[in-house]
Amino acid sequence: MKDHVADDLTTDWVALHGEAFQGCRALVTGGAGFIGSHLAQALLTLGAEVVVIDDLSGADGTNLDPLRASAGGRLRVVEDSIMNREALADATAGAQLVFHQAALGSVPRSVEQPRAFHDVNTTGTLNVLEAARAEGVRRVMFAASSSAYGDAQTLPKVETMAPQPLSPYAATKVAGEALMRAWACSYAGGGGTDTACLRYFNIFGSRQNANSAYAAVIAAFAKALLAGEAPAIYGDGTQSRDFTHVHNAVHANLLAASEPEPLRGAVFNVACGQRVTVTELAQRMAQTLGRPDLVPSYLPERAGDVKHSVAGLDHAHAGLGYAPIVGFAQGLASTMQWYAAEA
Ligand SMILES: NC(=O)c1ccc[n+]([C@@H]2O[C@H](COP(=O)([O-])OP(=O)(O)OC[C@H]3O[C@@H](n4cnc5c(N)ncnc54)[C@H](O)[C@@H]3O)[C@@H](O)[C@H]2O)c1
């Protein structure tokens, strides 16, 4: 198997987060995945000890390879499921922070397999909270999702809107948010575990899996274009998304983790605050690769897909000091370079 190439985009995590994570122990569930591996990398750069628990059901195990050399023994990988409570307790031992990324992804797959999604994403999240509580973890950061907003017509989508999940996947993510809030409120006494929910909007970047039938749109388009094929769009292509480079998601997690005030399950959007249609995205990617001839083909819309998605960022800015650190265009260019080097 080919090793992944080194990361394409350099963010100075120390300049952004200083000494906040030096010597701290953090558990990253789903840390062998796309976002989890970037989080683990930033935490290691910041001097943390990192434990990853991942059952490799959604990753090929190579995402952590670029991190191992520089980890200097501060990275431990537990290849197991968050459904195995013994393994989870072992992975959580001594952790002050938990970044809960492990989940089954993909809206269409969840429509086909709702029970599997409920088990891993909802019961699995309960397992993570219980392990964190038993271990006296200071705060759990939860990978929530913009899919919670469903087809809310008002744009931008802000955290005060009532959740409207349209798919089993979205329902599990809303359930996870409810568990985060309930655990922070119910067990807050005596230095109990605090929680925060980060609603990611279409995260993209290096190491996102392109080799799955359920690949996210930028990964799928990159794979098609690099193979000289036209990208396939579900729907008429006018649907829009707030595409967000993964370093923004990492930054938001680190800000939430180091916030001195209790967050009590508060929900924060994590995005760029910019709307791009899927047709525009396909054209831009084709042009960047010098293949404007690869015009997209259009397929029927998929169940559970939302029409428009763009985030309001005022709450994340006021509550966490969050603002995007990598813009859409810069992130897309470097991500495409990465996919090209991997191809
Ligand atoms: N990528 C996005 O745009 C996006 C948007 C909203 C929310 N999220 C959420 O962010 C998190 C990370 O997503 P990602 O894009 O990195 O996906 P990913 O599939 O690359 O990462 C998820 C990881 O979780 C692992 N995993 C799955 N089931 C597990 C289990 N039972 N036990 C242990 N590990 C398990 C997988 O092997 C995988 O490595 C997920 O919770 C996802 O729902 C992602």
Side-chain angles (χ1 to χ4, degrees), residues 202 208 214-222 232-233 241 243 278 281 285:
N202 289 77
Q208 189 167 32
Y214 302 103
V217 61
I218 290 181
F221 285 4
I233 294 180
R241 296 289 182 268
F243 295 108
V278 175
L281 173 73
M285 290 177 71

Side-chain angles (χ1 to χ4, degrees), residues 43-309:
L43 284 162
L44 288 167
T45 305
L46 289 164
E49 284 178 35
V50 177
V51 181
V52 161
I53 183 165
D54 197 304
D55 66 358
L56 301 186
S57 58
D60 67 4
T62 59
N63 278 345
L64 293 170
D65 289 349
L67 289 62
R68 286 183 211 276
S70 56
R74 287 180 293 117
L75 173 66
R76 178 179 163 223
V77 181
V78 177
E79 196 181 314
D80 216 317
S81 171
I82 57 168
M83 305 310 286
N84 177 349
R85 287 192 275 158
E86 228 170 85
L88 184 58
D90 170 56
T92 313
Q96 286 111 45
L97 297 167
V98 173
F99 298 88
H100 177 34
Q101 310 300 306
L104 298 180
S106 160
V107 164
R109 185 176 162 208
S110 78
V111 174
E112 292 161 17
Q113 303 168 22
R115 187 168 297 278
F117 272 64
H118 178 80
D119 289 346
V120 174
N121 295 8
T122 310
T123 308
T125 294
L126 175 72
N127 291 346
V128 169
L129 279 167
E130 283 295 82
R133 186 161 79 96
E135 199 53 42
V137 165
R138 189 161 62 73
R139 186 171 289 148
V140 177
M141 270 55 60
F142 174 58
S145 165
S146 62
S147 61
Y149 291 111
D151 241 346
Q153 297 298 307
T154 313
L155 296 176
K157 296 182 178 181
V158 292
E159 295 86 340
T160 45
M161 290 174 173
Q164 293 179 11
L166 292 182
S167 64
Y169 169 75
T172 66
K173 287 293 169 179
V174 174
E177 289 182 1
L179 291 170
M180 288 292 145
R181 182 165 165 76
W183 257 243
C185 294
S186 302
Y187 309 110
T193 300
D194 193 30
T195 60
C197 303
L198 299 166
R199 277 190 189 163
Y200 301 158
F201 281 67
N202 289 77
I203 310 298
F204 71 92
S206 60
R207 304 186 206 139
Q208 189 167 32
N209 187 2
N211 298 314
S212 152
Y214 302 103
V217 61
I218 290 181
F221 285 4
K223 185 178 176 192
L225 290 165
L226 286 162
E229 293 161 11
I233 294 180
Y234 295 95
D236 65 7
T238 60
Q239 68 269 35
S240 59
R241 296 289 182 268
D242 193 336
F243 295 108
T244 304
H245 187 266
V246 63
H247 284 191
N248 296 317
V250 171
H251 182 49
N253 271 280
L254 298 176
L255 287 170
S258 58
E259 169 58 41
E261 295 300 318
L263 293 171
R264 297 194 186 89
V267 174
F268 299 100
N269 287 343
V270 175
C272 268
Q274 186 186 344
R275 192 149 71 94
V276 177
T277 71
V278 175
T279 292
E280 268 173 72
L281 173 73
Q283 288 168 344
R284 189 175 189 133
M285 290 177 71
Q287 271 158 11
T288 306
L289 288 173
R291 293 299 305 268
D293 55 307
L294 294 176
V295 293
S297 61
Y298 292 88
L299 301 170
E301 209 173 318
R302 292 181 303 193
D305 275 351
V306 305
K307 187 73 188 167
H308 296 297
S309 183

